[in-house]
Amino acid sequence: MITKNLHPAAKEPTWINYWGWGSGDVLGAGAQAVITGWLFYFFTTFCGLSAVEAGLILGLPRLLEAITCPLIGYVSDNLRHTWVGRKIGRRKVFLLITIPLLPSFALIFRTGHTFTYYLLAFIFFELLYTMFLIPWETLAAEMTKDYRAKAKFAGARMIIAQGSAILASYLPTLLINQFGGKDSPDTFFWMAAIFGVAFSLVVTIVVLTSWERPYGTREQAVLSQTYGGVTLKAALLIPVKMFRDLFSTLKIRAFRQHLSIYLGGYLSQDIFNSAFAFFVATVLMGATLAISQLMTVMYVAQLVSVMVAIQIVIRTGPVLAYRLAASMFGAALMLYLVFYLARPEGFADSFKALGTNLFGALNPTQPGFSASLVFWLFVPIILAGLGRGTLNFVPWSVYNYLPDVDEAVTGQRREGIFAGVMTLVRKLAQSGAIMASGWIIDLGGYIRTKPGEVVVQSPEAIQTVTALMVGGPLLMLVLGALASWSFRLNAGTHAVLVHEVERLRNGATEAESDENRRIVEDLTGWRYDQLWGRGSGHAADSTLHLPQNNPARS
């Protein structure tokens, strides 16, 4: 619903808005925690699929999103010029559609079906996930322009995300004794069913506790001249305009740097997630229960990491936080490599003696207590969690500021298309990482197992799993750290940017000072005299109805 007389800065978010909007990451991150943490393992262990087939199911749907991600972002940006957008909300209409359909998540975790069934079920859920994720991600950027408030939105989101990941990792432990023991696929079905209901609930909370960016003066003037509907010509031009907007985002220097940082942090985790369960099963010699408990420890550490990272980003900016996180995650990977090479004496027997409770290793009064066992079980996984939590937080904290950089260049607010591009790039890269991981694990000779079956993997298979889990993430972390070196967006530079955007909106053609000009040009990658849509051929007409010479500027 439109609030015509409300300036975007007039409505200040409260803790209800921070946590209400942030609760959406029960779906945003919770679904991904289940999918990346368990689905590959579920398919290969309980469904009789090969690692290659499991990788295809997880990877192929992401290729379809080369169309759906930018399309949803583009359409949600432009629905503000339609009756639906004005009455329901250009973002919220997508959220409302997903609410009754999200419990279908549980259908993916049913055994006894074919490759085609699992592929189609996963495609359907991924479409719902995208319909929620992209419009939802724009809302934090729309509800405030304040640097600290944006960081708080990102922080609330990531704290809830890590809580969801803890639930995703520990639920199997809680359900194992209720539904057939450690080798029952029902454990995963009920976990997915619980999450499916939770997904619908939190999307409802998001709808009730968030608002969309109010219309600016120019947009209100346009609304009085808006046509009754979308013309055939405008509809046919949607793909052309959409892909033009899609590629125009890459002309923003800060966004290009951000994508590299984003992919470095997230792809390192995708590869780690694909291989970790196999590493635990073959190198640490643990079962589903051990995997669940170790993942729980990791996600608790991620939660702590996010709380610390919020303060680092607010006080110093995202770059320092990112480098510290990459260092900790990298240290964890190196420790796992040392474990594989050294195979500490007595570890396997001590590990087996713990039975179903790994946390019993922390009790120094327990017979056979071993400091070595405690170190190798918990230090690497805690370090990994401390690094991963911040690696998750930093990119989505930075995203909230990128539409401000884009506005300086184009004179428009395009939160939707930026969320669409980020999600598209993320999913395409994740698709490639997961499919490649499955192919590498299969190529290494890994033998798929049936529930309860004990199979001795070959040394080559174990070596392949270890090399993938350690080497792949390290490479991604190095690439992300290199990209962060020239990234200059922080609290100080963002304040200068917002100040200059206000001046540009009021008709300024020159920067207030040479220092301001240098900062804005560094973030945008454009000369100051080309900003606000003055760059030749760059002003993006991201609307369905507006003529090229009258872009919607808030």
Side-chain angles (χ1 to χ4, degrees):
M1 187 174 181
I2 299 171
T3 308
K4 290 188 177 182
N5 296 320
L6 184 64
H7 189 276
K11 190 173 183 180
E12 296 296 331
T14 67
W15 66 269
I16 294 176
N17 306 118
Y18 293 133
W19 294 105
W21 176 82
S23 70
D25 231 359
V26 171
L27 170 54
Q32 289 305 304
V34 175
I35 289 168
T36 59
W38 292 113
L39 197 52
F40 197 98
Y41 180 77
F42 176 81
F43 283 153
T44 56
T45 304
F46 298 104
C47 302
L49 300 178
S50 69
V52 170
E53 289 173 322
L56 286 173
I57 292 172
L58 291 169
L60 287 176
R62 275 69 189 267
L63 300 179
L64 298 177
E65 288 161 356
I67 296 295
T68 58
C69 286
L71 180 60
I72 290 172
Y74 178 86
V75 171
S76 71
D77 275 345
N78 289 284
L79 277 178
R80 65 183 183 274
H81 304 294
T82 67
W83 180 88
V84 171
R86 294 195 295 270
K87 296 298 182 182
I88 300 176
R90 60 193 181 280
R91 317 295 186 192
K92 290 186 177 181
V93 66
F94 288 96
L95 274 56
L96 291 170
I97 291 171
T98 66
I99 289 174
L101 301 174
L102 287 168
S104 64
F105 184 56
L107 297 178
I108 304 172
F109 289 86
R110 298 300 293 168
T111 57
H113 295 288
T114 64
F115 170 86
T116 303
Y117 168 88
Y118 293 118
L119 178 62
L120 292 178
F122 191 58
I123 287 174
F124 179 72
F125 178 75
E126 280 292 297
L127 178 60
L128 293 178
Y129 180 79
T130 304
M131 286 178 64
F132 162 78
L133 190 68
I134 293 174
W136 169 71
E137 285 170 345
T138 68
L139 291 174
E142 293 198 12
M143 285 192 282
T144 182
K145 290 186 177 183
D146 181 71
Y147 182 91
R148 295 176 64 89
K150 287 176 185 284
K152 289 177 182 178
F153 271 116
R157 166 189 182 165
M158 282 300 157
I159 289 173
I160 289 172
Q162 302 313 318
S164 303
I166 292 170
L167 185 62
S169 64
Y170 197 64
L171 260 183
T173 299
L174 297 177
L175 297 173
I176 274 171
N177 294 328
Q178 299 295 323
F179 301 104
K182 66 180 181 180
D183 294 318
S184 172
D186 288 342
T187 296
F188 299 95
F189 170 76
W190 288 109
M191 174 178 65
I194 291 169
F195 266 100
V197 173
F199 294 160
S200 294
L201 176 62
V202 298
V203 176
T204 303
I205 292 172
V206 170
V207 170
L208 295 175
T209 58
S210 60
W211 65 87
E212 299 178 6
R213 176 176 58 84
Y215 286 73
T217 305
R218 287 176 176 269
E219 287 179 317
Q220 290 183 30
V222 170
L223 283 177
S224 64
Q225 305 169 16
T226 303
Y227 315 132
V230 180
T231 65
L232 176 61
K233 180 180 178 181
L236 292 175
L237 285 175
I238 286 177
V240 176
K241 294 181 177 181
M242 180 186 73
F243 279 101
R244 186 183 67 194
D245 276 9
L246 177 72
F247 288 108
S248 74
T249 61
L250 299 178
K251 296 181 179 180
I252 307 299
R253 184 169 187 262
F255 187 59
R256 295 195 303 271
Q257 295 169 326
H258 169 69
L259 284 180
S260 300
I261 294 170
Y262 176 47
L263 291 178
Y266 272 77
L267 286 181
S268 64
Q269 297 180 68
D270 291 332
I271 299 170
F272 180 88
N273 291 341
S274 297
F276 181 68
F278 298 101
F279 181 83
V280 174
T282 58
V283 179
L284 298 181
M285 302 304 292
T288 303
L289 197 62
I291 299 168
S292 172
Q293 292 177 6
L294 287 173
M295 288 175 65
T296 300
V297 172
M298 180 175 69
Y299 287 128
V300 169
Q302 288 185 200
L303 177 61
V304 174
S305 174
V306 169
M307 293 179 180
V308 175
I310 294 171
Q311 296 304 315
I312 295 176
V313 169
I314 288 176
R315 295 174 187 275
T316 69
V319 173
L320 176 62
Y322 186 87
R323 291 174 186 168
L324 290 172
S327 299
M328 284 188 285
F329 192 22
L333 296 169
M334 293 306 297
L335 283 176
Y336 278 126
L337 178 60
V338 170
F339 178 90
Y340 167 76
L341 295 174
R343 300 297 177 98
E345 184 178 354
F347 177 87
D349 292 336
S350 300
F351 189 27
K352 187 178 295 184
L354 292 174
T356 59
N357 183 18
L358 299 189
F359 302 108
L362 298 171
N363 183 1
T365 64
Q366 181 173 317
F369 173 79
S370 168
S372 175
L373 177 66
V374 172
F375 178 88
W376 289 112
L377 270 183
F378 296 109
V379 171
I381 203 68
I382 288 173
L383 276 176
L386 292 174
R388 286 164 53 108
T390 301
L391 289 174
N392 288 334
F393 168 72
V394 167
W396 286 109
S397 171
V398 172
Y399 159 76
N400 289 333
Y401 311 114
L402 292 172
D404 299 331
V405 182
D406 178 64
E407 185 178 11
V409 176
T410 64
Q412 300 180 42
R413 298 293 300 187
R414 302 190 298 168
E415 291 91 348
I417 197 67
F418 274 86
V421 173
M422 277 189 68
T423 305
L424 165 64
V425 171
R426 160 80 177 124
K427 289 191 174 184
L428 288 178
Q430 185 184 48
S431 170
I434 292 174
M435 288 193 290
S437 296
W439 179 77
I440 291 170
I441 290 171
D442 240 25
L443 189 65
Y446 188 89
I447 303 171
R448 56 183 175 176
T449 61
K450 297 179 181 178
E453 182 181 13
V454 177
V455 174
V456 178
Q457 301 291 344
S458 68
E460 292 77 15
I462 298 174
Q463 183 180 27
T464 300
V465 167
T466 305
L468 176 66
M469 192 190 80
V470 175
L474 280 176
L475 176 61
M476 294 300 105
L477 289 173
V478 169
L479 294 177
L482 290 175
S484 74
W485 214 259
S486 58
F487 192 67
R488 301 286 184 266
L489 183 59
N490 54 45
T493 58
H494 179 261
V496 171
L497 175 77
V498 171
H499 175 68
E500 288 298 325
V501 166
E502 289 298 327
R503 295 183 68 252
L504 287 165
R505 183 179 289 113
N506 293 325
T509 57
E510 295 183 359
E512 189 173 67
S513 68
D514 287 341
E515 178 66 10
N516 283 14
R517 178 186 54 77
R518 185 190 62 78
I519 289 172
V520 174
E521 289 183 348
D522 178 72
L523 293 176
T524 63
W526 289 77
R527 296 197 315 270
Y528 199 95
D529 60 6
Q530 294 179 310
L531 299 180
W532 208 245
R534 293 190 292 263
S536 176
H538 184 70
D541 175 17
S542 61
T543 64
L544 296 178
H545 304 298
L546 301 182
Q548 181 72 18
N549 62 358
N550 188 21
R553 295 173 181 173
S554 60

